């Protein structure tokens, strides 16, 4: 039995359906991420798990028990808020002790528990400080210590790293992974940052307009997106749409406008004449001045129209002879690739049929 | 050189801005206070006012007689204590009424908020005395309120009580007049509270009363102290309300001061009473601020 189960959960605000008949099952000990653009309903979903919002339809079950009648203060889940929501009039110790006091923990046990929680987030010695005397990263840790001190069954994190700078965010990501492993508590994490979701999660639920589009492991979400939205939202992606021209031994050929025939490997038994798409990651494309005469499933000529130098990699936007735009990515570490292309250079791109991912529209 | 000139210009600008208010306070607050302090040490004139500073024998006539009178004749201390009791009761009642009111306004939708605030300050649009006279009508013996109350009392076999010209009337009107001064600072404070803090407290297991007592109330203390000072200090010195609505036993220190200056014409003793009032108000306000700071600090340490 999953630890948390959402059954047909729906939440409407007036005419707007924030969460639309969502089904989800989250297992104990999982690092589960709700990923999607702003307004996709992920925070509303999290607030329904915490109890701040009530579903208009459907059920939220924890350990098989419907939570409809338990207010937030009675649920064994804790939330780490985006703004941290530390109590400004209490010291760090006061903040961390608060949930213990609410849980009627014997007073003599509290200092020990607080000290342990602060040690877990590497804040030993900061107990007497006040929130306004801490840095953003330290406040973040106090918020986590405060949420974990009562050993809840589940921790809900609402974009907890959004306010931190890039360097600190990466550091906190690693800390979160370790903390989750060490505490063994189920994390439900909300973010709009796909790299964060890929780096942290055991499983990701990609949300769009109140619906869950795909629930999968990070590598599967990245490699095998179920819909055009998922392909486009997670990472950089070339999306080719067209009509299925032929199907032959696990290879489907699709006539893509402005590009030509693209072959993709798929077990799908789609009928010729149907509309379909291919998702192709820029790093799957080989790009060179000339690829020679070796046989290739997909080969297109074009001209570099733009490039985006990112340090470790360079993204080239190539306009094919047919007029299609394709993005290809080149790692700058590759030996023998010393020559960068300039806008206007003629290039050749190719990729095997297995590189693309077939999506039924 | 250029920076020096700019600094000089900045200093000049600072004086231009802060000069007029400082001048105003010096002329209309500091100077009268000093005059009053000086007057308190002089001898009352035979027909009111002050006796000459230098008497016929050529001696400087300064003494503590008026102060001695205040501290030796218990009737004046009694009036003073009564004033403190009235002011304290007014402050507490205002706080009890204003807190829920300010909370409701602060948590209401933005569009409604300005309208509710307008309603709070609406009484200021009519004259202070007119509002007190209105209370004379409301509390008068022939008004529905007094008839209803006395009718009920009669039903229980108790005699009729006058509502007007009583301590009750004084207190009701004191609370009525000072309520906006409590509501506004409380509202200004509560309106700034981050609702996420209450969500967090609830999420961490606090039920409604705990959320109020541990989060909202301690964070609102600056507003409470500001409101308490704004109510307590004027309520301590008020004279119009007990004059018009009080009974013969409801003389407060404000009435006493007015009496000394306008009726008895004993300026030195009036000055003494005024000084005692000012010092007491300052001391109590300071004490409240000090307690407030200590309370928040102690609470934080207890939590640890």
């Amino acid at each position: 039995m999953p630890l948390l189960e959402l059954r047909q959960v729906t939440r409407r605000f007036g005419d707007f359906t924030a969460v639309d008949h969502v089904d989800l099952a989250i297992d104990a000990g999982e690092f589960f991420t709700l990923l999607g653009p702003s307004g996709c309903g992920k925070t509303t979903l999290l607030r329904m798990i915490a109890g701040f919002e009530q579903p208009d339809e459907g059920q939220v079950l924890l350990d098989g028990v419907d939570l409809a009648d338990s207010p937030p203060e009675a649920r064994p889940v804790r939330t780490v808020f985006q703004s941290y929501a530390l109590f400004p009039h209490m010291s760090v110790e006061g903040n961390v002790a608060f949930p213990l006091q609410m849980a009627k923990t014997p007073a003599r046990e509290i200092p020990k528990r607080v000290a342990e929680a602060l040690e877990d987030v590497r804040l030993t010695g900061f107990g007497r400080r006040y929130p306004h005397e801490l840095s953003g990263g330290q406040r973040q840790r106090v918020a986590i210590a405060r949420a974990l001190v009562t050993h809840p069954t589940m921790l809900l994190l609402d974009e907890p790293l959004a306010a931190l700078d890039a360097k600190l965010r990466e550091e906190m990501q690693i800390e979160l992974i370790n903390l989750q492993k060490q505490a063994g508590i189920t994390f439900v994490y909300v973010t709009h940052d796909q790299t964060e979701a890929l780096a942290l999660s055991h499983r990701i639920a990609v949300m769009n307009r109140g619906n869950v589009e795909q629930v999968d492991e990070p590598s599967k979400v990245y490699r095998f997106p179920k819909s055009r939205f998922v392909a486009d939202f997670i990472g950089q992606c070339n999306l080719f749409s067209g009509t299925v021209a032929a199907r032959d031994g696990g290879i489907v050929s699709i006539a893509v406008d402005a590009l030509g025939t693209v072959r993709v490997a798929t077990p799908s038994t789609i009928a010729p004449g149907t509309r379909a798409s291919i998702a192709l990651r820029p790093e799957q494309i080989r790009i060179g001045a000339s690829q020679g005469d070796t046989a290739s499933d997909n080969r297109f000529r074009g001209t570099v129209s733009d490039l985006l130098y990112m340090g470790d990699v360079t993204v080239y936007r190539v306009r094919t002879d047919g007029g299609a735009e394709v993005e290809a990515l080149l790692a700058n570490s590759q030996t023998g690739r010393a020559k960068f292309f300039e806008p206007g250079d003629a290039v050749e791109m190719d990729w095997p049929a297995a590189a693309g991912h077939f999506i039924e529209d | 050189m250029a920076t020096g000139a700019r600094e000089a210009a900045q200093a000049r600008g600072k004086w231009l801005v802060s000069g007029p208010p400082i001048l105003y306070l010096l002329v209309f607050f500091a100077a009268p206070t000093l005059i009053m302090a000086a007057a308190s040490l002089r001898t009352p004139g035979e027909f009111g006012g002050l006796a000459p500073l230098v008497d016929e024998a050529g001696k400087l006539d300064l003494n503590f007689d008026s102060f001695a009178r205040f501290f030796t004749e218990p009737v004046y201390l009694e009036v003073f204590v009564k004033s403190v009791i009235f002011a304290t009761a007014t402050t507490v009642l205002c706080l009890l009424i204003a807190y829920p009111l300010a909370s409701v306004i602060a948590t209401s939708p933005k569009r409604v908020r300005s309208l509710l605030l307008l309603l709070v300050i609406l009484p200021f649009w009519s004259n202070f005395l007119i509002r007190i006279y209105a209370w004379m009508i409301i509390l008068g013996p022939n008004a529905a309120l007094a008839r209803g109350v006395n009718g009920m009392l009669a039903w229980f076999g108790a005699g009729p009580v006058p509502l007007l010209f009583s301590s009750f009337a004084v207190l009701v009107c004191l609370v009525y007049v000072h309520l906006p001064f409590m509501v506004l600072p409380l509202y200004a404070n509560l309106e700034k509270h981050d609702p996420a803090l209450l969500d967090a407290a609830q999420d961490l297991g606090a039920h409604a009363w705990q959320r109020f007592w541990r989060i909202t109330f301690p964070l609102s203390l600056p507003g409470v102290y500001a409101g308490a000072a704004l109510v307590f200090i004027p309520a301590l010195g008020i004279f119009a309300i007990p004059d018009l609505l009080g009974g013969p036993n409801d003389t407060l220190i404000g009435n006493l001061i007015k009496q000394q200056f306008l009726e008895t014409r004993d300026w030195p003793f009036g000055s003494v009473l005024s000084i005692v009032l000012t010092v007491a108000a300052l001391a109590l306000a300071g004490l409240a601020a000090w307690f407030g700071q200590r309370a928040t600090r102690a609470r934080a340490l207890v939590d640890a």
Side-chain angles (χ1 to χ4, degrees), chain A residues 47 52 73 78-79 81 86 89-90 93 101-102 130 146, chain B residues 197 199-200 202-204 206 210 214 219 300 303-304:
Chain A
R47 288 178 65 84
F52 294 116
E73 62 265 38
R78 294 279 182 261
T79 309
F81 292 86
L86 298 181
H89 57 302
M90 297 183 197
E93 285 173 336
Q101 292 162 343
M102 294 302 112
Y130 280 80
R146 186 176 72 172
Chain B
L197 293 181
D199 275 0
Q202 187 174 17
D203 189 72
L204 294 166
Q210 288 167 322
R214 296 291 306 274
L219 285 174
D303 287 336

PDB file of all heavy atoms in Angstrom, chain A residues 47 52 73 78-79 81 86 89-90 93 101-102 130 146, chain B residues 197 199-200 202-204 206 210 214 219 300 303-304:
ATOM      1  N   ARG A  47      -0.728  21.898  -0.943  1.00  0.00           N
ATOM      2  CA  ARG A  47      -1.519  22.479   0.143  1.00  0.00           C
ATOM      3  C   ARG A  47      -2.702  21.584   0.506  1.00  0.00           C
ATOM      4  O   ARG A  47      -3.170  21.619   1.644  1.00  0.00           O
ATOM      5  CB  ARG A  47      -1.989  23.888  -0.218  1.00  0.00           C
ATOM      6  CG  ARG A  47      -0.847  24.904  -0.195  1.00  0.00           C
ATOM      7  CD  ARG A  47      -1.298  26.294  -0.608  1.00  0.00           C
ATOM      8  NE  ARG A  47      -2.246  26.890   0.315  1.00  0.00           N
ATOM      9  CZ  ARG A  47      -1.909  27.542   1.424  1.00  0.00           C
ATOM     10  NH1 ARG A  47      -0.644  27.659   1.755  1.00  0.00           N
ATOM     11  NH2 ARG A  47      -2.836  28.055   2.202  1.00  0.00           N
ATOM     12  N   PHE A  52      -4.208  22.662   4.003  1.00  0.00           N
ATOM     13  CA  PHE A  52      -4.600  24.070   3.925  1.00  0.00           C
ATOM     14  C   PHE A  52      -5.701  24.302   2.896  1.00  0.00           C
ATOM     15  O   PHE A  52      -6.374  25.312   2.925  1.00  0.00           O
ATOM     16  CB  PHE A  52      -3.391  24.942   3.599  1.00  0.00           C
ATOM     17  CG  PHE A  52      -2.371  24.961   4.691  1.00  0.00           C
ATOM     18  CD1 PHE A  52      -1.103  24.457   4.483  1.00  0.00           C
ATOM     19  CD2 PHE A  52      -2.700  25.446   5.941  1.00  0.00           C
ATOM     20  CE1 PHE A  52      -0.172  24.455   5.504  1.00  0.00           C
ATOM     21  CE2 PHE A  52      -1.770  25.449   6.962  1.00  0.00           C
ATOM     22  CZ  PHE A  52      -0.503  24.948   6.743  1.00  0.00           C
ATOM     23  N   GLU A  73      -3.123  20.938  11.554  1.00  0.00           N
ATOM     24  CA  GLU A  73      -2.385  20.716  12.797  1.00  0.00           C
ATOM     25  C   GLU A  73      -2.472  19.271  13.270  1.00  0.00           C
ATOM     26  O   GLU A  73      -1.676  18.846  14.106  1.00  0.00           O
ATOM     27  CB  GLU A  73      -2.838  21.687  13.895  1.00  0.00           C
ATOM     28  CG  GLU A  73      -4.298  21.585  14.313  1.00  0.00           C
ATOM     29  CD  GLU A  73      -5.184  22.576  13.587  1.00  0.00           C
ATOM     30  OE1 GLU A  73      -4.968  22.813  12.381  1.00  0.00           O
ATOM     31  OE2 GLU A  73      -6.118  23.104  14.222  1.00  0.00           O
ATOM     32  N   ARG A  78       4.619  17.644   7.566  1.00  0.00           N
ATOM     33  CA  ARG A  78       5.169  18.968   7.861  1.00  0.00           C
ATOM     34  C   ARG A  78       5.542  19.640   6.550  1.00  0.00           C
ATOM     35  O   ARG A  78       5.927  18.966   5.596  1.00  0.00           O
ATOM     36  CB  ARG A  78       6.426  18.840   8.726  1.00  0.00           C
ATOM     37  CG  ARG A  78       6.165  18.286  10.106  1.00  0.00           C
ATOM     38  CD  ARG A  78       5.655  19.392  11.018  1.00  0.00           C
ATOM     39  NE  ARG A  78       5.443  18.904  12.370  1.00  0.00           N
ATOM     40  CZ  ARG A  78       4.264  18.560  12.854  1.00  0.00           C
ATOM     41  NH1 ARG A  78       3.192  18.639  12.107  1.00  0.00           N
ATOM     42  NH2 ARG A  78       4.153  18.136  14.093  1.00  0.00           N
ATOM     43  N   THR A  79       5.445  20.959   6.546  1.00  0.00           N
ATOM     44  CA  THR A  79       5.732  21.703   5.331  1.00  0.00           C
ATOM     45  C   THR A  79       6.942  22.614   5.532  1.00  0.00           C
ATOM     46  O   THR A  79       7.068  23.238   6.579  1.00  0.00           O
ATOM     47  CB  THR A  79       4.515  22.562   4.929  1.00  0.00           C
ATOM     48  OG1 THR A  79       3.356  21.734   4.918  1.00  0.00           O
ATOM     49  CG2 THR A  79       4.707  23.180   3.561  1.00  0.00           C
ATOM     50  N   PHE A  81       8.102  25.942   3.962  1.00  0.00           N
ATOM     51  CA  PHE A  81       7.502  26.941   3.088  1.00  0.00           C
ATOM     52  C   PHE A  81       8.566  27.651   2.261  1.00  0.00           C
ATOM     53  O   PHE A  81       9.724  27.753   2.655  1.00  0.00           O
ATOM     54  CB  PHE A  81       6.731  27.969   3.918  1.00  0.00           C
ATOM     55  CG  PHE A  81       5.511  27.390   4.574  1.00  0.00           C
ATOM     56  CD1 PHE A  81       5.598  26.757   5.798  1.00  0.00           C
ATOM     57  CD2 PHE A  81       4.282  27.460   3.943  1.00  0.00           C
ATOM     58  CE1 PHE A  81       4.476  26.207   6.398  1.00  0.00           C
ATOM     59  CE2 PHE A  81       3.154  26.918   4.535  1.00  0.00           C
ATOM     60  CZ  PHE A  81       3.254  26.291   5.762  1.00  0.00           C
ATOM     61  N   LEU A  86       9.895  31.392   9.218  1.00  0.00           N
ATOM     62  CA  LEU A  86      10.445  31.262  10.573  1.00  0.00           C
ATOM     63  C   LEU A  86       9.789  32.313  11.460  1.00  0.00           C
ATOM     64  O   LEU A  86       9.485  33.410  11.002  1.00  0.00           O
ATOM     65  CB  LEU A  86      11.961  31.476  10.560  1.00  0.00           C
ATOM     66  CG  LEU A  86      12.763  30.469   9.743  1.00  0.00           C
ATOM     67  CD1 LEU A  86      14.247  30.782   9.844  1.00  0.00           C
ATOM     68  CD2 LEU A  86      12.506  29.045  10.227  1.00  0.00           C
ATOM     69  N   HIS A  89      10.129  36.320  16.200  1.00  0.00           N
ATOM     70  CA  HIS A  89      10.289  36.707  17.600  1.00  0.00           C
ATOM     71  C   HIS A  89      10.857  35.566  18.428  1.00  0.00           C
ATOM     72  O   HIS A  89      10.935  35.664  19.641  1.00  0.00           O
ATOM     73  CB  HIS A  89       8.962  37.166  18.176  1.00  0.00           C
ATOM     74  CG  HIS A  89       7.876  36.136  18.058  1.00  0.00           C
ATOM     75  ND1 HIS A  89       7.486  35.606  16.855  1.00  0.00           N
ATOM     76  CD2 HIS A  89       7.105  35.539  18.985  1.00  0.00           C
ATOM     77  CE1 HIS A  89       6.519  34.740  17.052  1.00  0.00           C
ATOM     78  NE2 HIS A  89       6.271  34.669  18.328  1.00  0.00           N
ATOM     79  N   MET A  90      11.208  34.453  17.787  1.00  0.00           N
ATOM     80  CA  MET A  90      11.776  33.323  18.519  1.00  0.00           C
ATOM     81  C   MET A  90      13.181  33.055  17.985  1.00  0.00           C
ATOM     82  O   MET A  90      13.449  33.222  16.797  1.00  0.00           O
ATOM     83  CB  MET A  90      10.931  32.067  18.304  1.00  0.00           C
ATOM     84  CG  MET A  90       9.520  32.151  18.825  1.00  0.00           C
ATOM     85  SD  MET A  90       8.716  30.556  18.557  1.00  0.00           S
ATOM     86  CE  MET A  90       7.005  31.033  18.732  1.00  0.00           C
ATOM     87  N   GLU A  93      16.493  28.126  18.433  1.00  0.00           N
ATOM     88  CA  GLU A  93      16.045  27.055  19.346  1.00  0.00           C
ATOM     89  C   GLU A  93      14.540  27.135  19.574  1.00  0.00           C
ATOM     90  O   GLU A  93      13.852  26.120  19.595  1.00  0.00           O
ATOM     91  CB  GLU A  93      16.763  27.189  20.692  1.00  0.00           C
ATOM     92  CG  GLU A  93      18.197  26.732  20.640  1.00  0.00           C
ATOM     93  CD  GLU A  93      18.940  27.027  21.943  1.00  0.00           C
ATOM     94  OE1 GLU A  93      18.522  27.952  22.670  1.00  0.00           O
ATOM     95  OE2 GLU A  93      19.911  26.336  22.220  1.00  0.00           O
ATOM     96  N   GLN A 101       6.831  21.536  21.504  1.00  0.00           N
ATOM     97  CA  GLN A 101       5.927  22.064  22.539  1.00  0.00           C
ATOM     98  C   GLN A 101       4.478  21.815  22.158  1.00  0.00           C
ATOM     99  O   GLN A 101       3.652  21.467  22.998  1.00  0.00           O
ATOM    100  CB  GLN A 101       6.180  23.562  22.731  1.00  0.00           C
ATOM    101  CG  GLN A 101       7.535  23.856  23.353  1.00  0.00           C
ATOM    102  CD  GLN A 101       7.966  25.298  23.154  1.00  0.00           C
ATOM    103  OE1 GLN A 101       7.441  26.014  22.315  1.00  0.00           O
ATOM    104  NE2 GLN A 101       8.940  25.727  23.939  1.00  0.00           N
ATOM    105  N   MET A 102       4.160  21.989  20.875  1.00  0.00           N
ATOM    106  CA  MET A 102       2.792  21.764  20.419  1.00  0.00           C
ATOM    107  C   MET A 102       2.415  20.288  20.578  1.00  0.00           C
ATOM    108  O   MET A 102       1.274  19.950  20.817  1.00  0.00           O
ATOM    109  CB  MET A 102       2.641  22.172  18.943  1.00  0.00           C
ATOM    110  CG  MET A 102       2.799  23.639  18.689  1.00  0.00           C
ATOM    111  SD  MET A 102       1.650  24.671  19.616  1.00  0.00           S
ATOM    112  CE  MET A 102       2.756  25.491  20.740  1.00  0.00           C
ATOM    113  N   TYR A 130      18.761  34.784  16.231  1.00  0.00           N
ATOM    114  CA  TYR A 130      17.409  35.042  15.747  1.00  0.00           C
ATOM    115  C   TYR A 130      17.393  34.963  14.225  1.00  0.00           C
ATOM    116  O   TYR A 130      18.425  35.180  13.582  1.00  0.00           O
ATOM    117  CB  TYR A 130      16.934  36.418  16.243  1.00  0.00           C
ATOM    118  CG  TYR A 130      16.464  36.324  17.659  1.00  0.00           C
ATOM    119  CD1 TYR A 130      17.358  36.306  18.713  1.00  0.00           C
ATOM    120  CD2 TYR A 130      15.108  36.169  17.935  1.00  0.00           C
ATOM    121  CE1 TYR A 130      16.925  36.162  20.016  1.00  0.00           C
ATOM    122  CE2 TYR A 130      14.661  36.031  19.228  1.00  0.00           C
ATOM    123  CZ  TYR A 130      15.574  36.021  20.270  1.00  0.00           C
ATOM    124  OH  TYR A 130      15.133  35.864  21.543  1.00  0.00           O
ATOM    125  N   ARG A 146      13.170  22.454  11.900  1.00  0.00           N
ATOM    126  CA  ARG A 146      11.897  22.650  12.593  1.00  0.00           C
ATOM    127  C   ARG A 146      10.848  21.661  12.084  1.00  0.00           C
ATOM    128  O   ARG A 146      10.040  21.143  12.849  1.00  0.00           O
ATOM    129  CB  ARG A 146      11.432  24.092  12.363  1.00  0.00           C
ATOM    130  CG  ARG A 146      10.205  24.489  13.124  1.00  0.00           C
ATOM    131  CD  ARG A 146       9.886  25.942  12.921  1.00  0.00           C
ATOM    132  NE  ARG A 146       9.371  26.202  11.581  1.00  0.00           N
ATOM    133  CZ  ARG A 146       8.872  27.372  11.189  1.00  0.00           C
ATOM    134  NH1 ARG A 146       8.831  28.389  12.015  1.00  0.00           N
ATOM    135  NH2 ARG A 146       8.425  27.527   9.962  1.00  0.00           N
TER     136      ARG A 146
ATOM    137  N   LEU B 197       3.237  32.713   8.407  1.00  0.00           N
ATOM    138  CA  LEU B 197       3.649  32.344   9.768  1.00  0.00           C
ATOM    139  C   LEU B 197       2.555  31.544  10.459  1.00  0.00           C
ATOM    140  O   LEU B 197       2.824  30.582  11.173  1.00  0.00           O
ATOM    141  CB  LEU B 197       3.973  33.593  10.593  1.00  0.00           C
ATOM    142  CG  LEU B 197       5.201  34.390  10.160  1.00  0.00           C
ATOM    143  CD1 LEU B 197       5.404  35.568  11.097  1.00  0.00           C
ATOM    144  CD2 LEU B 197       6.437  33.507  10.157  1.00  0.00           C
ATOM    145  N   ASP B 199       0.197  29.813   8.888  1.00  0.00           N
ATOM    146  CA  ASP B 199       0.158  28.522   8.201  1.00  0.00           C
ATOM    147  C   ASP B 199       1.228  27.601   8.790  1.00  0.00           C
ATOM    148  O   ASP B 199       0.973  26.429   9.073  1.00  0.00           O
ATOM    149  CB  ASP B 199       0.428  28.706   6.702  1.00  0.00           C
ATOM    150  CG  ASP B 199      -0.838  29.053   5.932  1.00  0.00           C
ATOM    151  OD1 ASP B 199      -1.907  29.140   6.571  1.00  0.00           O
ATOM    152  OD2 ASP B 199      -0.752  29.244   4.709  1.00  0.00           O
ATOM    153  N   ALA B 200       2.438  28.159   8.955  1.00  0.00           N
ATOM    154  CA  ALA B 200       3.550  27.354   9.472  1.00  0.00           C
ATOM    155  C   ALA B 200       3.219  26.851  10.879  1.00  0.00           C
ATOM    156  O   ALA B 200       3.412  25.676  11.192  1.00  0.00           O
ATOM    157  CB  ALA B 200       4.837  28.159   9.488  1.00  0.00           C
ATOM    158  N   GLN B 202       0.331  26.390  12.228  1.00  0.00           N
ATOM    159  CA  GLN B 202      -0.712  25.368  12.157  1.00  0.00           C
ATOM    160  C   GLN B 202      -0.123  24.049  11.667  1.00  0.00           C
ATOM    161  O   GLN B 202      -0.413  22.984  12.199  1.00  0.00           O
ATOM    162  CB  GLN B 202      -1.824  25.836  11.215  1.00  0.00           C
ATOM    163  CG  GLN B 202      -3.030  24.912  11.220  1.00  0.00           C
ATOM    164  CD  GLN B 202      -4.181  25.454  10.402  1.00  0.00           C
ATOM    165  OE1 GLN B 202      -4.008  26.343   9.578  1.00  0.00           O
ATOM    166  NE2 GLN B 202      -5.354  24.913  10.620  1.00  0.00           N
ATOM    167  N   ASP B 203       0.728  24.152  10.652  1.00  0.00           N
ATOM    168  CA  ASP B 203       1.370  22.969  10.100  1.00  0.00           C
ATOM    169  C   ASP B 203       2.208  22.257  11.161  1.00  0.00           C
ATOM    170  O   ASP B 203       2.338  21.043  11.165  1.00  0.00           O
ATOM    171  CB  ASP B 203       2.262  23.399   8.937  1.00  0.00           C
ATOM    172  CG  ASP B 203       2.792  22.214   8.154  1.00  0.00           C
ATOM    173  OD1 ASP B 203       2.001  21.601   7.443  1.00  0.00           O
ATOM    174  OD2 ASP B 203       3.991  21.898   8.298  1.00  0.00           O
ATOM    175  N   LEU B 204       2.779  23.050  12.089  1.00  0.00           N
ATOM    176  CA  LEU B 204       3.643  22.474  13.124  1.00  0.00           C
ATOM    177  C   LEU B 204       2.833  22.015  14.328  1.00  0.00           C
ATOM    178  O   LEU B 204       3.409  21.676  15.355  1.00  0.00           O
ATOM    179  CB  LEU B 204       4.699  23.495  13.550  1.00  0.00           C
ATOM    180  CG  LEU B 204       5.709  23.866  12.453  1.00  0.00           C
ATOM    181  CD1 LEU B 204       6.500  25.096  12.822  1.00  0.00           C
ATOM    182  CD2 LEU B 204       6.645  22.704  12.155  1.00  0.00           C
ATOM    183  N   ALA B 206       0.002  23.710  15.900  1.00  0.00           N
ATOM    184  CA  ALA B 206      -0.639  24.659  16.804  1.00  0.00           C
ATOM    185  C   ALA B 206      -2.111  24.840  16.433  1.00  0.00           C
ATOM    186  O   ALA B 206      -2.426  25.092  15.279  1.00  0.00           O
ATOM    187  CB  ALA B 206       0.077  26.006  16.731  1.00  0.00           C
ATOM    188  N   GLN B 210      -3.432  28.551  20.257  1.00  0.00           N
ATOM    189  CA  GLN B 210      -1.963  28.566  20.325  1.00  0.00           C
ATOM    190  C   GLN B 210      -1.366  29.457  19.243  1.00  0.00           C
ATOM    191  O   GLN B 210      -0.374  30.138  19.480  1.00  0.00           O
ATOM    192  CB  GLN B 210      -1.418  27.140  20.176  1.00  0.00           C
ATOM    193  CG  GLN B 210      -1.661  26.278  21.406  1.00  0.00           C
ATOM    194  CD  GLN B 210      -1.396  24.817  21.126  1.00  0.00           C
ATOM    195  OE1 GLN B 210      -1.711  24.305  20.053  1.00  0.00           O
ATOM    196  NE2 GLN B 210      -0.831  24.120  22.091  1.00  0.00           N
ATOM    197  N   ARG B 214       0.877  32.360  20.700  1.00  0.00           N
ATOM    198  CA  ARG B 214       2.319  32.195  20.500  1.00  0.00           C
ATOM    199  C   ARG B 214       2.865  32.985  19.313  1.00  0.00           C
ATOM    200  O   ARG B 214       4.050  33.270  19.251  1.00  0.00           O
ATOM    201  CB  ARG B 214       2.656  30.705  20.305  1.00  0.00           C
ATOM    202  CG  ARG B 214       2.376  29.823  21.510  1.00  0.00           C
ATOM    203  CD  ARG B 214       3.312  30.109  22.662  1.00  0.00           C
ATOM    204  NE  ARG B 214       4.712  30.043  22.290  1.00  0.00           N
ATOM    205  CZ  ARG B 214       5.430  28.941  22.272  1.00  0.00           C
ATOM    206  NH1 ARG B 214       4.905  27.801  22.615  1.00  0.00           N
ATOM    207  NH2 ARG B 214       6.692  28.980  21.923  1.00  0.00           N
ATOM    208  N   LEU B 219       3.774  39.054  18.280  1.00  0.00           N
ATOM    209  CA  LEU B 219       4.229  39.889  17.170  1.00  0.00           C
ATOM    210  C   LEU B 219       3.482  41.216  17.128  1.00  0.00           C
ATOM    211  O   LEU B 219       3.953  42.184  16.543  1.00  0.00           O
ATOM    212  CB  LEU B 219       4.045  39.149  15.841  1.00  0.00           C
ATOM    213  CG  LEU B 219       5.051  38.035  15.570  1.00  0.00           C
ATOM    214  CD1 LEU B 219       4.680  37.282  14.298  1.00  0.00           C
ATOM    215  CD2 LEU B 219       6.462  38.592  15.449  1.00  0.00           C
ATOM    216  N   ALA B 300      11.225  34.816  24.115  1.00  0.00           N
ATOM    217  CA  ALA B 300      12.126  34.158  23.180  1.00  0.00           C
ATOM    218  C   ALA B 300      13.056  33.196  23.914  1.00  0.00           C
ATOM    219  O   ALA B 300      13.333  32.109  23.444  1.00  0.00           O
ATOM    220  CB  ALA B 300      12.941  35.210  22.418  1.00  0.00           C
ATOM    221  N   ASP B 303      11.223  30.078  25.082  1.00  0.00           N
ATOM    222  CA  ASP B 303      10.974  29.172  23.962  1.00  0.00           C
ATOM    223  C   ASP B 303      12.182  28.293  23.674  1.00  0.00           C
ATOM    224  O   ASP B 303      12.048  27.193  23.172  1.00  0.00           O
ATOM    225  CB  ASP B 303      10.657  29.971  22.696  1.00  0.00           C
ATOM    226  CG  ASP B 303       9.279  30.584  22.774  1.00  0.00           C
ATOM    227  OD1 ASP B 303       8.479  30.032  23.533  1.00  0.00           O
ATOM    228  OD2 ASP B 303       9.028  31.589  22.113  1.00  0.00           O
ATOM    229  N   ALA B 304      13.352  28.811  23.973  1.00  0.00           N
ATOM    230  CA  ALA B 304      14.556  28.091  23.582  1.00  0.00           C
ATOM    231  C   ALA B 304      14.708  26.795  24.369  1.00  0.00           C
ATOM    232  O   ALA B 304      14.090  26.598  25.384  1.00  0.00           O
ATOM    233  CB  ALA B 304      15.775  28.973  23.804  1.00  0.00           C
TER     234      ALA B 304
END
